Amino acid sequence: TGWVCLNCGYVYHGTFAPKYCPVCEHEQGWFIRMELAPYAGAYKRLKKKPDTGRTRAGNREEEIMKKTT
C-alpha cells in the first residue's frame, strides 16, 4: 500500500503509514492511502499513455490537414 503525506507529498510504501513523515516531520494523521489521493487517478492515466511530445492542439491540426488533403 502506498501512503502520501498531505503536507509535503512524500510517498511511503508499506502496510501502515509511518508515525512521522521523514521529510516534514508531520504526524501519521497527515498520511492518506495513495488510492484516495486526489491526483492518484490522474497519475495512473498519465502513466499508461506514452509521451509523444505533441499537444492536443498539434494532434488536432494533423487531423484537419489529413482531411483537407
Side-chain angles (χ1 to χ4, degrees):
T1 304
W3 297 88
V4 180
C5 176
L6 292 174
N7 183 58
C8 69
Y10 171 75
V11 176
Y12 174 80
H13 295 282
T15 307
F16 301 102
K19 297 249 182 221
Y20 292 93
C21 177
V23 176
C24 67
E25 299 181 0
H26 273 73
E27 295 178 355
Q28 189 176 35
W30 283 82
F31 282 85
I32 61 169
R33 285 196 334 254
M34 181 68 87
E35 305 88 50
L36 300 176
Y39 48 84
Y43 174 73
K44 288 177 186 175
R45 285 192 302 272
L46 287 173
K47 193 173 177 183
K48 289 180 184 177
K49 294 181 181 178
D51 182 17
T52 61
R54 296 182 182 170
T55 62
R56 284 187 176 183
N59 290 339
R60 182 73 179 134
E61 290 171 5
E62 282 184 11
E63 290 174 17
I64 293 170
M65 292 299 286
K66 286 179 184 177
K67 288 180 182 178
T68 58
T69 57

